[in-house]
Amino acid sequence: MSSALQRSLEAGSITITAEVMPPRGGDPAHTIAMAECLRGRVHAINVTDGSRAVMRMCGLAVCRLLIDVGLEPVLQMAGRDRNRIAIQGDLLGAHALGIRNVLCLTGDPVRAGDQSSVRSVHELESVRLLQQVSAFNRGEDPVKEKLADGPINLFAGAAADPHCASWSGLSRRLARKREAGARFVQTQMVMDPRALERFCRDLADPLELPVLAGVFLLKSARNARFINRMVPGACIPDHLITRLDQADDPMAEGIAIAAEQVRQFTGIAQGVHLMAVKAEQRIPEVLERAGVSLPVL
């Protein structure tokens, strides 16, 4: 059976996803509590994989825990930290655990993290990772021709940055991801609706790739400046930072900004992907302020 995320995207419906971060420790209770805040509000919940090259609990475990409480996960998988054999094993394990959505990523550079001596692997970057998912979905074994138990079933997505400075490079890479098996795109945070409109119209739509536009909840001007400094590819404009800086209640202003973006972006892309690091409980308020109806699950 296909996932709720796949059914919504293939039906052309407005689709909402959000993400939670695994714990930096062995107790998943807080992560599960944050995911519970999203119940009935989103089609699926992304579980990040070593975001910003910082150690966290493995996504496979958190995804299974979400399934156990009746929530649909999207397993983010980055090629940065695993060789081909480890990735292949994790993909097969994901299918066995009931995970049906996977977002294939290259991974943030190790220099963005807090363990500078760590070595990256990068045997499979995002395109080759997508190719591996597609091969398993066709039932292909990398050595013995056919998987012993037949094909697996993973609905694969890719990431993209509509603000990318190299438009031709972005176009080529998106086409390669589509050819490799990407069935949807979740973007990095988008701050300019014109960039999103161009990305959808000129790149994603011709490839028949539904787009979920990234909306990031900004908590304060200080938070926005930190993101610009520390998060690869972030480009929060000065006018939004000034707006947060002058607000009596910066969090409320951040929610208002996110809600405005949700309203704008759902008129351009097929849906949105909401990111609210350490404030996932605020996502329902963002959606309510945006006037987005609860998705049909």
Side-chain angles (χ1 to χ4, degrees):
M1 181 178 178
S2 60
S3 66
L5 175 62
Q6 180 175 354
R7 294 194 300 274
S8 181
L9 288 172
E10 291 181 348
S13 305
I14 291 177
T15 304
I16 312 294
T17 58
E19 69 183 40
V20 297
M21 187 177 293
R24 192 181 175 102
D27 184 355
H30 179 72
T31 299
I32 301 303
M34 291 299 96
E36 283 285 0
C37 296
L38 304 173
R39 186 183 294 277
R41 303 284 186 169
V42 301
H43 290 89
I45 301 170
N46 282 41
V47 177
T48 60
D49 181 23
S51 179
R52 290 183 47 239
V54 172
M55 178 201 73
R56 296 276 175 180
M57 182 184 290
C58 75
L60 276 172
V62 176
C63 284
R64 180 62 237 188
L65 291 169
L66 293 185
I67 292 172
D68 288 345
V69 296
L71 296 169
E72 179 169 305
V74 178
L75 174 67
Q76 290 192 3
M77 183 172 287
R80 179 193 61 224
D81 303 324
R82 305 167 179 85
N83 68 14
R84 185 186 305 265
I85 295 171
I87 287 173
Q88 290 165 346
D90 283 351
L91 290 172
L92 296 175
H95 174 80
L97 291 172
I99 297 164
R100 292 295 176 264
N101 307 305
V102 61
L103 188 73
C104 297
L105 307 169
T106 297
D108 295 326
V110 166
R111 66 177 180 272
D114 57 2
Q115 298 186 64
S116 58
S117 63
V118 170
R119 295 181 181 179
S120 299
V121 180
H122 284 312
E123 186 173 358
L124 298 184
E125 43 66 63
S126 57
V127 172
R128 285 180 289 175
L129 180 51
L130 283 160
Q131 290 170 342
Q132 181 62 77
V133 173
S134 296
F136 279 162
N137 282 343
R138 294 191 298 267
E140 298 174 4
D141 186 297
V143 176
K144 298 182 178 181
E145 294 188 0
K146 298 295 182 183
L147 291 174
D149 302 314
I152 67 170
N153 179 25
L154 291 174
F155 184 59
D161 181 7
H163 293 290
C164 181
S166 174
W167 192 255
S168 60
L170 177 62
S171 176
R172 288 193 300 271
R173 191 150 179 83
L174 191 67
R176 287 182 63 206
K177 290 179 179 181
R178 180 67 179 90
E179 183 180 2
R183 306 280 295 281
F184 67 97
V185 174
Q186 286 180 339
T187 78
Q188 309 288 1
M189 67 174 76
V190 178
M191 292 294 159
D192 184 352
R194 294 169 300 179
L196 176 64
E197 186 172 12
R198 183 187 180 202
F199 174 78
C200 291
R201 181 189 66 236
D202 295 350
L203 301 187
D205 288 353
L207 295 172
E208 298 183 340
L209 274 172
V211 174
L212 301 176
V215 175
F216 195 97
L217 175 59
L218 301 169
K219 306 175 190 70
S220 66
R222 180 181 178 183
N223 172 235
R225 294 187 185 103
F226 173 83
I227 291 167
N228 272 349
R229 187 171 67 252
M230 299 299 294
V231 177
C235 54
I236 301 166
D238 289 341
H239 72 89
L240 290 182
I241 296 176
T242 299
R243 186 172 160 184
L244 290 162
D245 207 19
Q246 295 176 349
D248 293 332
D249 185 342
M251 175 60 85
E253 193 66 25
I255 290 171
I257 290 169
E260 292 166 10
Q261 292 175 337
V262 170
R263 283 195 296 271
Q264 286 180 310
F265 297 169
T266 50
I268 300 171
Q270 189 166 333
V272 292
H273 174 63
L274 289 144
M275 298 164 277
V277 178
K278 297 182 180 179
E280 291 87 354
Q281 74 277 10
R282 300 284 193 162
I283 289 175
E285 186 176 353
V286 171
L287 293 172
E288 289 167 6
R289 288 281 299 271
V292 174
S293 302
L294 296 183
V296 178
L297 300 177

